[in-house]
């Protein structure tokens, strides 16, 4: 396994940049993979975009001190929960967490400044979990393709209007703009 500290050294050697001063820190696809996020990430004070995709991380942690973080890319890992984000919830604007093991969305309600949430190909299967996003009134773009909930309701033909009824402020769903008709139908269907 590669530690975060070693991954940061690899990034510096490869990019010629000082990680603590870099706005974009790319720690994705480490071989062997990173399995644990730790406090070494806190040294990345200037980092606005942290890429940790394509590793073997199962838990979000170690973000304390990342006061500038706006984009967290953690796709293609083994993350089971959107927890451990408390220290960056005020600055975080985008979370890219597709291809993980997310089935519960506990903690997502704290991410009130997030505008983009890419979480395709996870395991979200019921509206109870989805509805935790009702607090995310700044959310503009959501990607849920490949989740059991998406699959079931796409088959039923009511996915887009269900989501539009639950998150009427959403501008784009699964890569397609949400239109006023969908919002009206969703409001009638879900009641809002």
């Amino acid at each position: 396994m590669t530690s975060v500290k070693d991954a940061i050294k690899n990034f510096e050697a490869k990019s010629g940049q000082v990680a603590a001063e870099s706005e974009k820190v790319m720690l994705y696809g480490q071989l062997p993979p990173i399995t644990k996020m730790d406090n070494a990430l806190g040294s990345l004070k200037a980092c606005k975009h942290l890429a940790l995709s394509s590793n073997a991380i199962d838990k979000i942690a170690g973000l304390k001190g990342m006061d500038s973080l706006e984009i967290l890319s953690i796709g293609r890992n083994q993350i089971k929960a959107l927890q451990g984000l408390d220290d960056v919830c005020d600055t975080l604007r985008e979370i890219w967490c597709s291809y993980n093991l997310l089935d519960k969305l506990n903690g997502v309600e704290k991410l009130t400044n997030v505008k983009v949430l890419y979480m395709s190909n996870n395991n979200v299967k019921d509206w109870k979990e989805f509805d935790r996003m009702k607090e995310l009134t700044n959310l503009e773009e959501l990607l849920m393709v490949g989740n059991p909930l998406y699959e079931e309701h796409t088959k039923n033909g009511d996915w887009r209007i269900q989501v539009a009824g639950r998150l009427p402020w959403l501008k784009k769903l699964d890569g397609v703009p949400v239109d006023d008709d969908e919002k009206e139908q969703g409001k009638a269907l879900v009641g809002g």
Side-chain angles (χ1 to χ4, degrees), residues 93-132:
R93 300 291 177 264
E94 298 185 20
I95 302 176
W96 308 349
C97 58
S98 295
Y99 294 94
N100 273 291
L101 304 172
L102 296 166
D103 60 350
K104 304 269 188 259
L105 298 179
N106 312 34
V108 76
E109 60 278 354
K110 296 175 185 173
L111 304 172
T112 54
N113 292 317
V114 167
K115 292 179 182 291
V116 175
L117 181 55
Y118 296 145
M119 56 180 300
S120 69
N121 299 287
N122 276 287
N123 297 323
V124 178
K125 54 185 161 289
D126 60 52
W127 288 117
K128 180 180 153 239
E129 291 304 320
F130 185 93
D131 286 344
R132 293 177 187 270

Short mmCIF file of all heavy atoms in Angstrom, two decimals, residues 93-132:
data_model
loop_
_atom_site.label_atom_id
_atom_site.label_comp_id
_atom_site.label_asym_id
_atom_site.label_seq_id
_atom_site.Cartn_x
_atom_site.Cartn_y
_atom_site.Cartn_z
N ARG A 93 -17.38 22.35 -2.86
CA ARG A 93 -18.37 22.72 -3.89
C ARG A 93 -18.73 21.53 -4.78
O ARG A 93 -19.81 21.48 -5.33
CB ARG A 93 -17.85 23.85 -4.77
CG ARG A 93 -17.53 25.13 -4.04
CD ARG A 93 -18.78 25.82 -3.51
NE ARG A 93 -18.46 27.02 -2.75
CZ ARG A 93 -18.33 27.08 -1.43
NH1 ARG A 93 -18.47 26.00 -0.70
NH2 ARG A 93 -18.05 28.19 -0.82
N GLU A 94 -17.78 20.59 -4.94
CA GLU A 94 -18.02 19.45 -5.82
C GLU A 94 -17.46 18.18 -5.18
O GLU A 94 -16.36 18.19 -4.64
CB GLU A 94 -17.35 19.64 -7.19
CG GLU A 94 -17.87 20.83 -7.95
CD GLU A 94 -17.29 20.95 -9.36
OE1 GLU A 94 -16.78 19.94 -9.89
OE2 GLU A 94 -17.37 22.06 -9.91
N ILE A 95 -18.26 17.11 -5.27
CA ILE A 95 -17.79 15.79 -4.82
C ILE A 95 -18.00 14.83 -5.98
O ILE A 95 -19.11 14.70 -6.49
CB ILE A 95 -18.58 15.30 -3.59
CG1 ILE A 95 -18.44 16.30 -2.45
CG2 ILE A 95 -18.07 13.92 -3.16
CD1 ILE A 95 -19.26 15.95 -1.24
N TRP A 96 -16.93 14.20 -6.38
CA TRP A 96 -16.96 13.20 -7.44
C TRP A 96 -16.70 11.85 -6.78
O TRP A 96 -15.55 11.51 -6.50
CB TRP A 96 -15.90 13.49 -8.48
CG TRP A 96 -15.91 14.89 -9.04
CD1 TRP A 96 -16.87 15.85 -8.88
CD2 TRP A 96 -14.89 15.49 -9.85
NE1 TRP A 96 -16.50 17.00 -9.54
CE2 TRP A 96 -15.29 16.81 -10.15
CE3 TRP A 96 -13.68 15.03 -10.35
CZ2 TRP A 96 -14.54 17.68 -10.93
CZ3 TRP A 96 -12.93 15.89 -11.13
CH2 TRP A 96 -13.35 17.20 -11.42
N CYS A 97 -17.77 11.10 -6.55
CA CYS A 97 -17.63 9.85 -5.79
C CYS A 97 -18.30 8.67 -6.50
O CYS A 97 -18.80 7.75 -5.85
CB CYS A 97 -18.17 10.02 -4.37
SG CYS A 97 -19.88 10.53 -4.26
N SER A 98 -18.31 8.69 -7.81
CA SER A 98 -18.88 7.58 -8.57
C SER A 98 -18.04 6.32 -8.39
O SER A 98 -16.86 6.38 -8.04
CB SER A 98 -18.96 7.94 -10.05
OG SER A 98 -19.86 9.02 -10.24
N TYR A 99 -18.66 5.18 -8.65
CA TYR A 99 -18.00 3.87 -8.57
C TYR A 99 -17.40 3.60 -7.20
O TYR A 99 -16.21 3.35 -7.04
CB TYR A 99 -16.93 3.73 -9.67
CG TYR A 99 -17.49 3.70 -11.05
CD1 TYR A 99 -17.57 4.88 -11.80
CD2 TYR A 99 -17.96 2.53 -11.62
CE1 TYR A 99 -18.11 4.87 -13.08
CE2 TYR A 99 -18.51 2.52 -12.90
CZ TYR A 99 -18.56 3.68 -13.63
OH TYR A 99 -19.11 3.68 -14.88
N ASN A 100 -18.26 3.71 -6.19
CA ASN A 100 -17.89 3.35 -4.83
C ASN A 100 -18.94 2.37 -4.30
O ASN A 100 -19.66 1.76 -5.10
CB ASN A 100 -17.78 4.60 -3.95
CG ASN A 100 -16.39 5.22 -4.02
OD1 ASN A 100 -15.43 4.66 -3.53
ND2 ASN A 100 -16.29 6.39 -4.64
N LEU A 101 -19.04 2.25 -2.99
CA LEU A 101 -19.98 1.30 -2.38
C LEU A 101 -21.02 2.03 -1.53
O LEU A 101 -21.55 1.47 -0.58
CB LEU A 101 -19.20 0.30 -1.52
CG LEU A 101 -18.10 -0.48 -2.23
CD1 LEU A 101 -17.27 -1.30 -1.25
CD2 LEU A 101 -18.69 -1.37 -3.32
N LEU A 102 -21.33 3.26 -1.88
CA LEU A 102 -22.26 4.07 -1.10
C LEU A 102 -23.68 3.54 -1.22
O LEU A 102 -24.22 3.45 -2.32
CB LEU A 102 -22.24 5.52 -1.59
CG LEU A 102 -20.93 6.28 -1.40
CD1 LEU A 102 -20.93 7.55 -2.21
CD2 LEU A 102 -20.71 6.58 0.07
N ASP A 103 -24.28 3.21 -0.08
CA ASP A 103 -25.70 2.86 -0.09
C ASP A 103 -26.48 3.75 0.87
O ASP A 103 -27.66 3.97 0.70
CB ASP A 103 -25.93 1.38 0.21
CG ASP A 103 -25.41 0.94 1.57
OD1 ASP A 103 -24.70 1.71 2.23
OD2 ASP A 103 -25.72 -0.20 1.97
N LYS A 104 -25.82 4.26 1.86
CA LYS A 104 -26.42 5.20 2.81
C LYS A 104 -25.80 6.58 2.58
O LYS A 104 -24.63 6.68 2.24
CB LYS A 104 -26.14 4.76 4.25
CG LYS A 104 -26.59 3.35 4.57
CD LYS A 104 -27.99 3.34 5.09
CE LYS A 104 -28.40 1.99 5.59
NZ LYS A 104 -29.22 1.25 4.66
N LEU A 105 -26.60 7.62 2.79
CA LEU A 105 -26.10 8.97 2.55
C LEU A 105 -26.04 9.80 3.83
O LEU A 105 -26.12 11.02 3.78
CB LEU A 105 -26.97 9.66 1.49
CG LEU A 105 -26.96 8.98 0.12
CD1 LEU A 105 -27.86 9.72 -0.86
CD2 LEU A 105 -25.54 8.89 -0.44
N ASN A 106 -25.88 9.14 4.97
CA ASN A 106 -25.72 9.86 6.24
C ASN A 106 -24.59 10.86 6.09
O ASN A 106 -23.53 10.52 5.58
CB ASN A 106 -25.33 8.91 7.38
CG ASN A 106 -26.16 7.68 7.46
OD1 ASN A 106 -26.60 7.15 6.45
ND2 ASN A 106 -26.39 7.22 8.66
N GLY A 107 -24.81 12.06 6.57
CA GLY A 107 -23.77 13.08 6.52
C GLY A 107 -23.88 14.01 5.33
O GLY A 107 -23.35 15.12 5.34
N VAL A 108 -24.58 13.59 4.28
CA VAL A 108 -24.68 14.42 3.08
C VAL A 108 -25.40 15.74 3.39
O VAL A 108 -25.11 16.77 2.79
CB VAL A 108 -25.37 13.66 1.91
CG1 VAL A 108 -26.87 13.56 2.09
CG2 VAL A 108 -25.04 14.30 0.58
N GLU A 109 -26.29 15.72 4.37
CA GLU A 109 -27.06 16.92 4.69
C GLU A 109 -26.20 18.08 5.21
O GLU A 109 -26.60 19.23 5.17
CB GLU A 109 -28.19 16.60 5.69
CG GLU A 109 -27.75 16.04 7.02
CD GLU A 109 -27.46 14.54 7.03
OE1 GLU A 109 -27.70 13.84 6.02
OE2 GLU A 109 -26.94 14.05 8.06
N LYS A 110 -24.98 17.79 5.63
CA LYS A 110 -24.05 18.83 6.11
C LYS A 110 -23.37 19.56 4.96
O LYS A 110 -22.77 20.61 5.15
CB LYS A 110 -22.98 18.21 7.00
CG LYS A 110 -23.52 17.60 8.26
CD LYS A 110 -22.40 16.90 9.02
CE LYS A 110 -22.95 16.18 10.24
NZ LYS A 110 -21.94 15.37 10.89
N LEU A 111 -23.46 19.01 3.75
CA LEU A 111 -22.71 19.55 2.61
C LEU A 111 -23.54 20.60 1.86
O LEU A 111 -23.74 20.54 0.66
CB LEU A 111 -22.32 18.41 1.67
CG LEU A 111 -21.53 17.29 2.35
CD1 LEU A 111 -21.34 16.11 1.41
CD2 LEU A 111 -20.19 17.80 2.86
N THR A 112 -24.01 21.59 2.60
CA THR A 112 -24.98 22.55 2.06
C THR A 112 -24.42 23.49 0.98
O THR A 112 -25.20 24.14 0.30
CB THR A 112 -25.61 23.38 3.20
OG1 THR A 112 -24.55 23.98 3.95
CG2 THR A 112 -26.45 22.51 4.11
N ASN A 113 -23.12 23.56 0.83
CA ASN A 113 -22.54 24.42 -0.21
C ASN A 113 -22.19 23.67 -1.49
O ASN A 113 -21.72 24.27 -2.46
CB ASN A 113 -21.29 25.14 0.33
CG ASN A 113 -21.66 26.14 1.40
OD1 ASN A 113 -22.62 26.88 1.26
ND2 ASN A 113 -20.92 26.15 2.49
N VAL A 114 -22.40 22.36 -1.49
CA VAL A 114 -22.07 21.55 -2.66
C VAL A 114 -23.01 21.87 -3.81
O VAL A 114 -24.22 21.92 -3.65
CB VAL A 114 -22.12 20.04 -2.32
CG1 VAL A 114 -22.08 19.18 -3.56
CG2 VAL A 114 -20.94 19.69 -1.41
N LYS A 115 -22.41 22.13 -4.98
CA LYS A 115 -23.18 22.44 -6.20
C LYS A 115 -23.22 21.25 -7.15
O LYS A 115 -24.14 21.12 -7.94
CB LYS A 115 -22.57 23.64 -6.92
CG LYS A 115 -22.71 24.95 -6.17
CD LYS A 115 -22.05 26.08 -6.95
CE LYS A 115 -22.10 27.39 -6.24
NZ LYS A 115 -23.42 27.98 -6.14
N VAL A 116 -22.20 20.41 -7.10
CA VAL A 116 -22.09 19.26 -8.01
C VAL A 116 -21.82 18.00 -7.19
O VAL A 116 -20.90 17.97 -6.37
CB VAL A 116 -20.94 19.48 -9.02
CG1 VAL A 116 -20.74 18.26 -9.89
CG2 VAL A 116 -21.18 20.72 -9.87
N LEU A 117 -22.65 16.98 -7.43
CA LEU A 117 -22.48 15.70 -6.76
C LEU A 117 -22.59 14.60 -7.81
O LEU A 117 -23.66 14.32 -8.33
CB LEU A 117 -23.54 15.52 -5.67
CG LEU A 117 -23.49 14.23 -4.84
CD1 LEU A 117 -22.13 14.04 -4.19
CD2 LEU A 117 -24.59 14.25 -3.78
N TYR A 118 -21.43 14.02 -8.14
CA TYR A 118 -21.39 12.91 -9.09
C TYR A 118 -21.28 11.63 -8.26
O TYR A 118 -20.23 11.38 -7.66
CB TYR A 118 -20.18 13.01 -10.01
CG TYR A 118 -20.17 14.21 -10.92
CD1 TYR A 118 -18.97 14.82 -11.25
CD2 TYR A 118 -21.33 14.73 -11.48
CE1 TYR A 118 -18.93 15.93 -12.10
CE2 TYR A 118 -21.30 15.82 -12.32
CZ TYR A 118 -20.10 16.42 -12.63
OH TYR A 118 -20.07 17.50 -13.48
N MET A 119 -22.34 10.86 -8.23
CA MET A 119 -22.30 9.61 -7.45
C MET A 119 -22.96 8.47 -8.22
O MET A 119 -23.75 7.71 -7.68
CB MET A 119 -22.88 9.80 -6.06
CG MET A 119 -24.26 10.33 -5.96
SD MET A 119 -24.77 10.46 -4.24
CE MET A 119 -24.64 8.79 -3.70
N SER A 120 -22.59 8.35 -9.48
CA SER A 120 -23.11 7.25 -10.29
C SER A 120 -22.48 5.93 -9.85
O SER A 120 -21.44 5.91 -9.19
CB SER A 120 -22.81 7.49 -11.78
OG SER A 120 -21.43 7.37 -12.03
N ASN A 121 -23.16 4.85 -10.21
CA ASN A 121 -22.63 3.50 -9.97
C ASN A 121 -22.22 3.25 -8.53
O ASN A 121 -21.13 2.80 -8.24
CB ASN A 121 -21.48 3.22 -10.94
CG ASN A 121 -21.96 3.29 -12.37
OD1 ASN A 121 -22.66 2.41 -12.84
ND2 ASN A 121 -21.62 4.37 -13.06
N ASN A 122 -23.16 3.58 -7.64
CA ASN A 122 -23.04 3.24 -6.23
C ASN A 122 -24.20 2.31 -5.90
O ASN A 122 -24.74 1.67 -6.80
CB ASN A 122 -23.03 4.52 -5.37
CG ASN A 122 -21.65 5.13 -5.28
OD1 ASN A 122 -20.77 4.62 -4.60
ND2 ASN A 122 -21.44 6.25 -5.98
N ASN A 123 -24.59 2.23 -4.64
CA ASN A 123 -25.62 1.27 -4.23
C ASN A 123 -26.84 1.91 -3.57
O ASN A 123 -27.53 1.27 -2.79
CB ASN A 123 -25.01 0.24 -3.27
CG ASN A 123 -23.93 -0.58 -3.93
OD1 ASN A 123 -24.05 -0.93 -5.10
ND2 ASN A 123 -22.87 -0.88 -3.20
N VAL A 124 -27.12 3.18 -3.88
CA VAL A 124 -28.28 3.85 -3.29
C VAL A 124 -29.54 3.22 -3.87
O VAL A 124 -29.73 3.20 -5.08
CB VAL A 124 -28.26 5.37 -3.57
CG1 VAL A 124 -29.50 6.04 -2.99
CG2 VAL A 124 -26.99 6.00 -3.01
N LYS A 125 -30.39 2.69 -2.97
CA LYS A 125 -31.54 1.95 -3.47
C LYS A 125 -32.89 2.42 -2.96
O LYS A 125 -33.91 1.90 -3.38
CB LYS A 125 -31.36 0.46 -3.22
CG LYS A 125 -31.08 0.02 -1.82
CD LYS A 125 -30.81 -1.49 -1.79
CE LYS A 125 -30.09 -1.97 -0.58
NZ LYS A 125 -28.72 -1.62 -0.44
N ASP A 126 -32.93 3.41 -2.05
CA ASP A 126 -34.26 3.84 -1.62
C ASP A 126 -34.35 5.35 -1.45
O ASP A 126 -33.37 6.04 -1.27
CB ASP A 126 -34.72 3.10 -0.35
CG ASP A 126 -33.82 3.31 0.83
OD1 ASP A 126 -33.53 4.47 1.17
OD2 ASP A 126 -33.40 2.31 1.44
N TRP A 127 -35.59 5.83 -1.53
CA TRP A 127 -35.86 7.27 -1.46
C TRP A 127 -35.50 7.84 -0.09
O TRP A 127 -35.15 9.01 0.01
CB TRP A 127 -37.31 7.57 -1.81
CG TRP A 127 -37.62 7.37 -3.26
CD1 TRP A 127 -38.48 6.47 -3.80
CD2 TRP A 127 -37.06 8.09 -4.37
NE1 TRP A 127 -38.49 6.58 -5.18
CE2 TRP A 127 -37.63 7.57 -5.55
CE3 TRP A 127 -36.13 9.12 -4.49
CZ2 TRP A 127 -37.30 8.04 -6.82
CZ3 TRP A 127 -35.79 9.59 -5.75
CH2 TRP A 127 -36.38 9.05 -6.90
N LYS A 128 -35.60 7.02 0.95
CA LYS A 128 -35.26 7.50 2.30
C LYS A 128 -33.83 8.05 2.32
O LYS A 128 -33.57 9.11 2.87
CB LYS A 128 -35.42 6.35 3.30
CG LYS A 128 -35.10 6.72 4.72
CD LYS A 128 -35.27 5.50 5.64
CE LYS A 128 -34.40 5.65 6.84
NZ LYS A 128 -33.43 4.60 7.02
N GLU A 129 -32.91 7.31 1.72
CA GLU A 129 -31.52 7.79 1.65
C GLU A 129 -31.40 8.98 0.71
O GLU A 129 -30.76 9.97 1.02
CB GLU A 129 -30.59 6.66 1.21
CG GLU A 129 -30.43 5.57 2.24
CD GLU A 129 -29.95 6.08 3.60
OE1 GLU A 129 -29.09 6.97 3.67
OE2 GLU A 129 -30.47 5.58 4.61
N PHE A 130 -32.02 8.88 -0.45
CA PHE A 130 -31.98 9.98 -1.43
C PHE A 130 -32.47 11.28 -0.80
O PHE A 130 -31.89 12.35 -1.02
CB PHE A 130 -32.83 9.62 -2.65
CG PHE A 130 -32.75 10.64 -3.75
CD1 PHE A 130 -31.84 10.50 -4.78
CD2 PHE A 130 -33.58 11.76 -3.74
CE1 PHE A 130 -31.76 11.45 -5.78
CE2 PHE A 130 -33.49 12.71 -4.74
CZ PHE A 130 -32.58 12.56 -5.77
N ASP A 131 -33.54 11.19 -0.02
CA ASP A 131 -34.17 12.39 0.55
C ASP A 131 -33.28 13.13 1.54
O ASP A 131 -33.57 14.27 1.90
CB ASP A 131 -35.51 12.04 1.19
CG ASP A 131 -36.59 11.77 0.14
OD1 ASP A 131 -36.39 12.14 -1.04
OD2 ASP A 131 -37.63 11.18 0.49
N ARG A 132 -32.19 12.53 1.95
CA ARG A 132 -31.22 13.25 2.80
C ARG A 132 -30.63 14.44 2.04
O ARG A 132 -30.10 15.36 2.65
CB ARG A 132 -30.11 12.32 3.26
CG ARG A 132 -30.56 11.23 4.20
CD ARG A 132 -29.39 10.31 4.55
NE ARG A 132 -29.77 9.16 5.31
CZ ARG A 132 -29.80 9.12 6.65
NH1 ARG A 132 -29.47 10.18 7.34
NH2 ARG A 132 -30.15 8.01 7.26
#
